[in-house]
Amino acid sequence: MTDVPALTLNNAVRIPQLGFGTYKIPPEETRETTLAALETGYRHIDTAAMYGNEKEVGQAVRDSGLDRADVFVTSKLNNDAHAHDDALRAFDRTMDELGLDHLDLYLIHWPLPGKGDFVETWQAMEEIYRSGRAKAIGVSNFQPHHLRRLLEGGDVVPAVNQIEVHPYLTQDDVRAFGAEHDIATEAWSPIARGKVLDDPVIKRIAERHGKTPAQVTLRWHLQRGDIVFPKSGTRKRIEENFDLFDFELGTGDMGEISALNRDERQGPDPDHFNG
C-alpha cells in the first residue's frame, strides 16, 4: 500500500487527500464496497444522509479491523434539516446510523438559497463542532457569495468546501476564494460522470504515461491540491483509482487538462438548486 498524502485543514485536522465516495452505491452493496476500498488502502470515506447508506458505511468501518483514528469519515446534513434544531437532530440521526463515536467532517450539503438562511444552519453546525462530536465542519456546493455570508455571520471558518470539479468545470474562482480564506476544496464528480474519459487530450496524456484516463484525471486533481474521492462499485476500478502515486504529470500536462474547462456542470447549479 502506498501512503496517501494528507492535507492539514484550517483547524489542524489532517485529512487524506484521496478518499472513497459512496454516492449512488446502493445500501445493500455499500458495506462490501467500502470494505474493499479500506482493504485497498483508502482511509477517507465520504457519505451523506441523502445517500441512504450511512449505516452500511459505519458497519464497514467497524468491520474493517482498522483503528477508528486511522479512518477519516465525512457525512453531510440533509436538505430537509436546515432549521437550527432540525440540524442538531439530523446530526444525532447520522451518528446513530453510523454507529461511530465521532465524525471527522460534517458538511452542509447544499446552500438552498430559496429555502431560508443557511447562516442559521451554520450556527447549529458550530454547536456540533464545539461539542467535539465532529472534528471539523464545512460546506458543500457553496459559491463565493455563499461563503462570504458564512464568514460574516459565523464564528468558525468552514474547513472544507466540497464542490463539483473536473477538467470540464475547473472552478478556479471558487477554489481561489477557498485558498484565500484557508478553506480546502474537495472535488465531487471528479471525472465528470465519465465524460472526460473519452477526451482525446486526456487519452493522449494517459497513453504517454502508461495510465488510464481516469488515473490521469485523478492525478490532475491531486496535483492541483484538491481532495478527491472517486466512486466505484467494482474492486478492480477501486484499486485502479487508488494507483496514482507512481507517476507525476508535468506542467504541460497539467496546463493541457486545465485548458479543457468549458464551465460545464454535470450536477445542479448551487445558485438555483433548492431540492
Side-chain angles (χ1 to χ4, degrees):
M1 169 185 150
T2 301
D3 288 336
V4 172
L7 304 180
T8 302
L9 300 177
N10 60 21
N11 66 345
V13 166
R14 297 279 285 170
I15 183 170
Q17 197 182 358
L18 176 64
F20 181 72
T22 63
Y23 177 57
K24 287 194 174 178
I25 297 180
E28 64 271 16
E29 299 175 13
T30 298
R31 177 186 171 276
E32 291 304 317
T33 303
T34 304
L35 274 174
L38 292 169
E39 289 166 3
T40 298
Y42 293 85
R43 294 295 180 266
H44 176 180
I45 309 296
D46 181 271
T47 185
M50 187 185 296
Y51 302 169
N53 58 17
E54 290 174 312
K55 180 178 180 180
E56 292 76 16
V57 165
Q59 190 67 52
V61 172
R62 293 193 301 276
D63 291 350
S64 70
L66 295 167
D67 192 286
R68 174 66 187 90
D70 292 335
V71 184
F72 193 102
V73 180
T74 297
S75 194
K76 309 177 194 74
L77 178 71
N78 214 12
N79 288 344
D80 62 359
H82 270 220
H84 177 277
D85 291 351
D86 290 345
L88 297 179
R89 285 190 288 267
F91 179 76
D92 287 340
R93 285 195 298 273
T94 279
M95 296 309 294
D96 287 345
E97 286 290 293
L98 287 167
L100 302 175
D101 61 353
H102 72 274
L103 197 57
D104 296 284
L105 178 62
Y106 195 47
L107 307 178
I108 299 177
H109 206 150
W110 287 90
L112 306 180
K115 285 199 170 183
D117 184 4
F118 52 74
V119 175
E120 177 189 354
T121 315
W122 186 247
Q123 290 165 351
M125 300 285 285
E126 292 180 335
E127 290 180 34
I128 292 166
Y129 176 58
R130 285 191 284 267
S131 77
R133 298 176 71 198
K135 302 300 181 185
I137 54 173
V139 295
S140 183
N141 301 300
F142 274 50
Q143 303 278 61
H145 63 93
H146 300 134
L147 292 169
R148 285 190 194 96
R149 284 190 58 205
L150 281 194
L151 295 174
E152 292 166 359
D155 296 322
V156 178
V157 176
V160 158
N161 185 19
Q162 184 181 125
I163 56 176
E164 181 183 349
V165 182
H166 46 74
Y168 292 164
L169 183 71
T170 55
Q171 295 270 40
D172 293 339
D173 56 339
V174 186
R175 294 175 66 255
F177 186 93
E180 180 183 348
H181 295 278
D182 203 14
I183 301 169
T185 296
E186 293 187 334
W188 65 261
S189 193
I191 59 173
R193 297 179 179 169
K195 286 193 174 181
V196 302
L197 302 185
D198 291 323
D199 189 282
V201 171
I202 292 175
K203 288 172 77 173
R204 174 168 44 79
I205 294 171
E207 185 175 340
R208 188 162 64 241
H209 286 277
K211 290 291 183 177
T212 68
Q215 288 170 325
V216 161
T217 303
L218 294 172
R219 182 73 200 184
W220 171 82
H221 282 282
L222 293 176
Q223 289 184 212
R224 292 177 99 213
D226 294 345
I227 300 154
V228 62
F229 26 82
K231 180 221 61 167
S232 177
T234 65
R235 181 178 284 268
K236 182 181 181 208
R237 188 61 58 81
I238 288 169
E239 292 173 350
E240 175 189 308
N241 290 341
F242 191 79
D243 185 19
L244 307 177
F245 304 104
D246 61 351
F247 76 108
E248 186 170 338
L249 298 175
T251 302
D253 297 331
M254 293 291 293
E256 283 191 79
I257 296 171
S258 296
L260 297 173
N261 179 57
R262 54 181 77 161
D263 294 330
E264 180 181 287
R265 293 185 181 276
Q266 305 303 311
D269 183 337
D271 283 328
H272 304 292
F273 179 69
N274 288 295

